[in-house]
């Protein structure tokens, strides 16, 4: 199960097997952002392409369900490259015995989430397998996206502050020392909500998943504020994994202030009780953003004026002083935030 939980174990599986065998197969079209970049999505022929299978267990959880998650996950992975999602494909693998009422509930949720994101499912496939361990169904949503005016405007702003910036997309590898790191809201909510449903736990105040398509929000701030160089949805492996991806791919250090990272009190308490680190627990409705310093305040204020970003915080800064991710703790020390071995909660997405 660790091989599917984000973190180092999964990254090694993907690198040493999937990428080893599937990279660079085609001579027809060289990908601008290829498989081995291991970014949130690829870019080929000017099109952003993403595929994501969802095997969350259980298929209904506080604040969401597998349908909402499947649409949001793919839409968000396309949007964090700066692209606008154009269309989705949906592959359903249904387990024998799944009640049709459950299927309908999931499909309605997918339809509503598509409407929220402003994107349609235009093709797909449906299979049924014998009763076993699927837990109801597995849903693949793939999607394509394209460049829009918002990305162009964003990049113009980046170039105003960084003359030599020559990237066409928002990538994990674009951070430079001095860039500011923002998180759009509280971390750990989704993983804890799914865990509570898996284990039949109640945490008193009711922790809800944050599953949400964020493409419309992203489009607005790219267009109206700009200056964003890197973005990521901190899903499996949580904030800790996403920060390490930024740091490794950009070749910069990242210093985080512990007391700035927003964590709900009930999530923090539940994590303490269960021995989990909220920074390693997955999210499905949050964005980690790297932005040029001169635009950071403005972006923070923009985010805070929105429902999805009301708890946004500036949590740290990219630096040339060291490699990796370090955290200034509340008690005054510094500790390394290593890439987690895997998300502590299994099958969260
Ligand atoms: Mg992602």
């Amino acid at each position: 199960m660790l091989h599917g939980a984000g973190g180092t174990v999964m990254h090694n599986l993907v690198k040493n097997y999937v990428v080893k065998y599937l990279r660079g197969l085609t001579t027809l079209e060289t990908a601008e952002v290829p498989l081995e970049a291991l970014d949130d999505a690829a870019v080929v022929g000017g099109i952003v392409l993403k595929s994501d299978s969802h095997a969350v267990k259980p298929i209904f959880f506080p604040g969401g369900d597998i349908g909402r998650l499947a649409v949001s996950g793919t839409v968000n992975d396309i949007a964090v490259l700066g692209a606008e999602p154009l269309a989705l494909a949906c592959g359903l693998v249904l387990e024998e015995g799944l009640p049709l009422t459950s299927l309908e509930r999931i499909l309605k949720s997918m339809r509503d989430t598509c409407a929220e994101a402003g994107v349609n499912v235009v093709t797909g496939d449906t299979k049924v397998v014998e009763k076993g361990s699927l837990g109801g169904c597995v849903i693949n949503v793939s999607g394509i996206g394209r460049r829009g005016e918002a990305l162009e405007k964003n990049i113009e702003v980046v170039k105003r502050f960084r003359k030599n910036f020559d990237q066409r997309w928002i990538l994990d590898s674009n951070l430079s020392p001095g860039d500011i790191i923002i998180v759009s809201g509280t971390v750990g909510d989704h993983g804890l909500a799914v865990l509570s449903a898996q284990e039949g736990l109640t945490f008193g105040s009711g922790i809800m998943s944050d599953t949400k398509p964020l493409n419309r929000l992203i489009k607005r701030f790219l267009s109206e504020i700009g200056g964003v160089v890197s973005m990521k949805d901190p899903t499996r492996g949580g904030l800790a994994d996403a920060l390490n991806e930024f740091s490794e791919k950009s070749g910069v250090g990242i210093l985080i202030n512990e007391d700035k990272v927003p964590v709900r009190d009930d999530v923090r308490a539940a994590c303490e009780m269960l021995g989990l680190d909220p920074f390693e627990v997955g999210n499905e409705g949050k964005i980690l953003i790297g932005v040029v310093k001169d635009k950071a305040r403005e972006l923070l204020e923009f985010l805070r004026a929105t429902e999805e970003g009301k708890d946004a915080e500036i949590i740290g800064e990219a630096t040339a002083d060291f490699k990796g991710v370090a955290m200034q703790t509340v008690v005054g020390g510094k500790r390394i935030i290593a890439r987690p071995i895997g998300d502590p909660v299994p099958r969260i997405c």
Side-chain angles (χ1 to χ4, degrees), residues 179-290:
D179 288 339
I180 299 297
I181 309 294
I182 293 178
V183 69
S184 68
T186 55
V187 298
D189 307 21
H190 172 75
L192 264 289
V194 173
L195 184 68
S196 73
Q198 284 175 354
E199 304 293 333
L201 301 169
T202 44
F203 299 122
S205 53
I207 297 167
M208 306 284 261
S209 167
D210 53 4
T211 305
K212 199 173 191 32
L214 296 166
N215 58 309
R216 284 187 153 147
L217 174 72
I218 291 172
K219 183 179 171 180
R220 278 185 57 210
F221 68 67
L222 291 181
S223 171
E224 292 173 38
I225 312 290
V228 173
V229 292
S230 297
M231 275 198 285
K232 206 159 192 63
D233 50 341
T235 56
R236 281 173 297 179
L239 186 69
D241 196 63
L243 286 168
N244 274 281
E245 289 268 299
F246 274 7
S247 163
E248 232 173 71
K249 291 178 187 168
S250 294
V252 297
I254 297 178
L255 182 62
I256 296 297
N257 288 310
E258 185 178 23
D259 55 346
K260 289 292 178 197
V261 180
V263 184
R264 284 169 55 108
D265 289 341
D266 50 6
V267 168
R268 194 185 298 279
C271 279
E272 271 169 23
M273 190 175 80
L274 297 163
L276 302 175
D277 180 348
F279 293 4
E280 296 187 359
V281 176
N283 311 277
E284 293 290 343
K286 301 289 153 52
I287 335 163
L288 185 66
I289 306 166

Side-chain angles (χ1 to χ4, degrees), residues 35-58:
L35 177 68
E36 57 270 27
L38 295 173
D39 214 305
D40 297 272
V43 182
V44 62
I47 301 279
V48 174
L49 175 63
K50 173 64 189 181
S51 180
D52 204 336
S53 294
H54 297 267
V56 65
K57 184 174 130 188

Side-chain angles (χ1 to χ4, degrees), residues 2 34 68 156 160 166 211 260 280 282 300 314 335 344:
L2 254 187
R68 181 167 178 77
E156 268 170 43
R160 229 183 284 154
D166 60 355
T211 305
K260 289 292 178 197
E280 296 187 359
L300 181 70
I314 288 176
R335 81 167 168 95

